[in-house]
Amino acid sequence: MRKTQGRHGEVAVELHTDVPDRFRVGLKLFALAQDNSRRELRVEELWPHKALLVLKFAGVDSISDAELLIGCELQVPRSERAQLESGWNYVSDLVGCVVFDSGREIGEIEDVQFGAGEAPLLIVGGGDGRHEIPYAEAYLKSVDLERKQIQMQLPEGMLDLNAPLTAEEKEQQAGANREAPRNKKTL
């Protein structure tokens, strides 16, 4: 949830869904806070506002009540999920899946982040560190949610973009910093 909207506990939310019409009066949702605590909410009223959706929840009746929800992620219970077309998946189902690149195991999806581009970023932890991998159709070969496996074919060097420095690279960087000329600052 992005911000409070109004004086009676309303909040403005940014939607990350291909099924925006699922939101309706009476819908039960969960608000997942950054500390992983979860709160059940029921939609009392809703209306579009600019590129956002304004939601009024039962029992959230003031700006201070609404402020407690800012930064929370809204989650739709499995029982309320819309049926997806074949080949489509809910992003929340991807967490816990193991990612493979051309058959080589990269690691397990720890989180999915939005906002860095058109495709969500899979945060993948593995033996060689953490990787941010775009969940883009161009790289996707197959998704098997039952086996918790995602097969991808990533471009050459993509996993090296945000990889941690090796011991040798750290030493080279430290040496370069020692040899760099120092300039005096003038005021």
Side-chain angles (χ1 to χ4, degrees):
M1 290 181 250
R2 290 187 74 191
K3 63 181 186 166
T4 61
Q5 182 75 34
R7 298 184 322 233
H8 303 288
E10 302 92 342
V11 292
V13 299
E14 181 179 342
L15 297 179
H16 295 282
T17 180
D18 291 328
V19 193
D21 58 341
R22 81 174 71 204
F23 294 94
R24 65 187 187 294
V25 171
L27 177 67
K28 289 186 180 176
L29 299 168
F30 292 103
L32 179 66
Q34 293 175 349
D35 66 0
N36 287 329
S37 64
R38 189 179 280 197
R39 176 179 174 185
E40 186 175 312
L41 300 167
R42 186 179 52 79
V43 177
E44 200 170 77
E45 294 180 64
L46 69 152
W47 60 92
H49 180 68
K50 299 183 182 179
L52 304 173
L53 181 65
V54 177
L55 299 172
K56 166 66 177 87
F57 297 110
V60 179
D61 299 316
S62 68
I63 293 173
S64 58
D65 289 345
E67 285 174 341
L68 298 173
L69 298 173
I70 302 308
C72 288
E73 175 183 309
L74 279 180
Q75 298 178 328
V76 177
R78 287 187 190 277
S79 62
E80 296 284 345
R81 285 183 171 181
Q83 195 67 13
L84 297 178
E85 294 177 29
S86 178
W88 289 81
N89 300 294
Y90 282 101
V91 172
S92 60
D93 290 340
L94 303 177
V95 174
C97 289
V98 177
V99 175
F100 293 86
D101 176 27
S102 302
R104 181 178 71 108
E105 185 176 324
I106 304 304
E108 186 176 310
I109 298 172
E110 298 172 351
D111 194 11
V112 180
Q113 294 180 351
F114 295 90
E118 284 191 32
L121 282 180
L122 303 176
I123 308 303
V124 179
D128 59 345
R130 290 180 61 155
H131 300 281
E132 295 176 356
I133 302 172
Y135 188 63
E137 192 172 344
Y139 308 143
L140 197 59
K141 289 173 59 178
S142 68
V143 176
D144 185 341
L145 293 178
E146 286 184 25
R147 294 177 58 203
K148 304 288 269 175
Q149 294 182 354
I150 298 175
Q151 301 289 336
M152 301 185 90
Q153 187 161 5
L154 301 173
E156 184 79 29
M158 177 178 275
L159 296 176
D160 298 328
L161 290 177
N162 60 356
L165 295 176
T166 64
E168 182 179 319
E169 290 169 329
K170 287 179 185 175
E171 182 58 36
Q172 287 174 346
Q173 200 174 54
N177 287 341
R178 285 191 296 269
E179 297 169 10
R182 304 283 187 237
N183 291 331
K184 291 183 180 180
K185 290 186 177 181
T186 57
L187 299 176

